[in-house]
Amino acid sequence: MAKLFEPITIGNLTLANRIVIAPMCQYSAENGRMTDWHAMHLGNLAQSGAGILTIEASAVSPEGRISYADVGLWDDETEQAMGNVLESVRRWSDMPIAIQLAHAGRKASTAKPWDGGKQITPNAENGWQTVSASALPFLPDENPPEALDKAGLARIRDAFADAARRAARLGIDAVQIHGAHGYLLHQFLSPLSNKRTDEYGGSLENRMRFPLEVYDAVRAAFPADRPVTMRVSGTDWAEAGWDIEQTVAFAKALEARGCAAYHVSSGGLDAGQKIPVGPNYQVPLARKVKEAVSMPVIAVGLITEPEQAEAIVSTGEADMIGLARTVLYDPRWPWHAAAALGATVKATPQFLRCQPRVYKDLFKQA
C-alpha cells in the first residue's frame, strides 16, 4: 500500500490516511458567523477522501479576525452558526473535522483579499484597533497595534480556552492552534515583532511563554481524549528572525506538554521576507522538526502531485501532508492520488458509479 494512504493516529484519533485538508480562510462570514457558503465549501471538501478536514482560522475574539468577514467562535451566535454548518456536513460525511483557533494580532482589521486586503483603520467602517506583543505595525504605513498588557494577555488566553470549550460542544475532533503566518502567537515568538522587556520578551524561553500558556489553556479546556495540535512558521525567511532552530525548541516544549502533532509552514511575519518558493520548499523545515521529536509532523506548501506527496511520507520527511490551494483547485485530489498510487479511498454511495473502469478497486463505500 502507498504510505500516503496508510492510517495514522494523532493522540487518540485515527485517520484513514495521511492527507490533511489545511485551514483556508473564505472571508465569507457575517459578524463571525458561518454562512451557507461554508456549508457548501466544507461539505464539498468532506467528500474528498482526505484523512481529516480542518475548519479555517476561527477567531477567538472579534478583534482577532484577519478581516471583518472572518469566521469566529467567541459567543453563542458564532457557535450556533458553526453548529448548523457542521450538522449539514456530518449528515453526509463521517470525515474527522478539526478547527484552527486563531488570533490575528497586528495583522487583523483588513479588507477582504479580493478588495485589496489592506489594513482598515480603527475609525473606518469595518475596522478596529489591533493588538500585538509590541506596538510595531506589520507595514510602516499601518496603524500600529497596542502592546498587550497582562490583563490583555489573560483575556486572550481565556478566549482561546473558551473557544476550545465551544469546539468541544460542537463535537469537533481536534483543535489546531494557529502559531504561524505572522499572526498573534507568531508575533510573540519572533524577535522581529516581539520587543518586550517583561517575562514575555527577550530570550527564546520568554518569547515562547505566552504561546505555551495558550496551548496549556486550550489543552485544559478541550477533552483529554481529543488531540490539540499547533501550526507554526518554521522560519521568518528574514535576517535575525524566527528560525528552524527555535522552531525545533518550541516543538520540544510542546511535545513535553502533550501536543499531538506539529504542522510546519513558514513566513508571514515580516514584509521583507525572502521566500525561495518552489515545490517542497517547506518540506526541509518539517524534516528538521521530525528528526527532533516523536509526535507526528505535517508538511505543507506547493505539494501538488501524488508522487511528490508519497515521496515525502514514504522517505520519512514528514508523517502527513497538508493541502490547501491544491485541494481548492481539485477537491477530489485524494481520489486522483489514490488512483495514481494504486490505493483505495472512501467515497459516498452517491459517487460510487463514477469510479473509472481502469481503477476497479479505487473506491470503498463510506
Side-chain angles (χ1 to χ4, degrees), residues 7 51 69 71 85 88 97-98 105 112 137 213 221 231 248 250 252 268 305 326 338 363:
V71 168
V85 168
S88 177
I97 297 176
K112 299 176 184 179
E213 288 180 356
R231 190 175 199 182
V248 168
F250 189 44
K252 290 178 177 178
E305 304 303 320
T326 295
F363 288 160

Side-chain angles (χ1 to χ4, degrees), residues 5 39 53 67 69 71 81 127 143 155 163 190 203 232 259 296:
F5 286 90
L53 168 61
S67 82
V71 168
N143 178 68
R155 185 171 61 250
S190 176
S203 68
V232 297
C259 186

Side-chain angles (χ1 to χ4, degrees), residues 233-251:
S233 282
T235 175
D236 287 339
W237 301 113
E239 187 177 354
W242 181 255
D243 56 25
I244 187 59
E245 289 76 21
Q246 295 172 91
T247 299
V248 168
F250 189 44

Side-chain angles (χ1 to χ4, degrees), residues 101-303:
L101 298 182
H103 193 297
R106 71 181 187 179
K107 292 182 75 175
S109 187
T110 71
K112 299 176 184 179
W114 52 84
D115 291 331
K118 292 185 177 180
Q119 186 190 63
I120 300 174
T121 58
N123 57 353
E125 184 180 6
N126 295 321
W128 60 87
Q129 176 61 51
T130 62
V131 296
S132 185
S134 300
L136 300 171
F138 177 64
L139 296 173
D141 61 346
E142 290 183 343
N143 178 68
E146 292 179 351
L148 285 159
D149 59 14
K150 296 292 178 60
L153 294 176
R155 185 171 61 250
I156 290 173
R157 187 171 55 241
D158 291 347
F160 269 95
D162 182 59
R165 282 187 284 270
R166 293 181 183 279
R169 284 201 294 267
L170 291 171
I172 287 171
D173 298 288
V175 163
Q176 181 190 94
I177 301 170
H178 200 353
H181 302 162
Y183 298 121
L184 182 65
L185 299 186
H186 189 180
Q187 290 160 30
F188 273 86
L189 292 170
S190 176
L192 297 178
S193 49
N194 185 344
K195 303 297 184 182
R196 300 174 74 98
T197 57
D198 63 3
E199 67 267 36
Y200 293 98
S203 68
L204 174 59
E205 179 183 6
N206 284 357
R207 285 182 280 113
M208 293 194 305
R209 191 182 307 277
F210 183 61
L212 290 174
E213 288 180 356
V214 168
Y215 172 84
D216 289 342
V218 170
R219 180 62 282 176
F222 201 58
D225 61 343
R226 299 188 221 172
V228 175
T229 72
M230 177 74 74
R231 190 175 199 182
V232 297
S233 282
T235 175
D236 287 339
W237 301 113
E239 187 177 354
W242 181 255
D243 56 25
I244 187 59
E245 289 76 21
Q246 295 172 91
T247 299
V248 168
F250 189 44
K252 290 178 177 178
L254 284 163
E255 184 171 52
R257 285 168 159 78
C259 186
Y262 202 60
H263 187 138
V264 185
S265 188
S266 71
L269 181 117
D270 189 272
Q273 64 188 11
K274 293 179 172 60
I275 304 178
V277 176
N280 283 18
Y281 74 103
Q282 294 175 150
V283 174
L285 302 170
R287 183 176 63 243
K288 285 285 190 183
V289 173
K290 184 165 168 53
E291 290 170 352
V293 298
S294 59
M295 65 180 164
V297 174
I298 304 162
V300 68
L302 284 181
I303 300 170

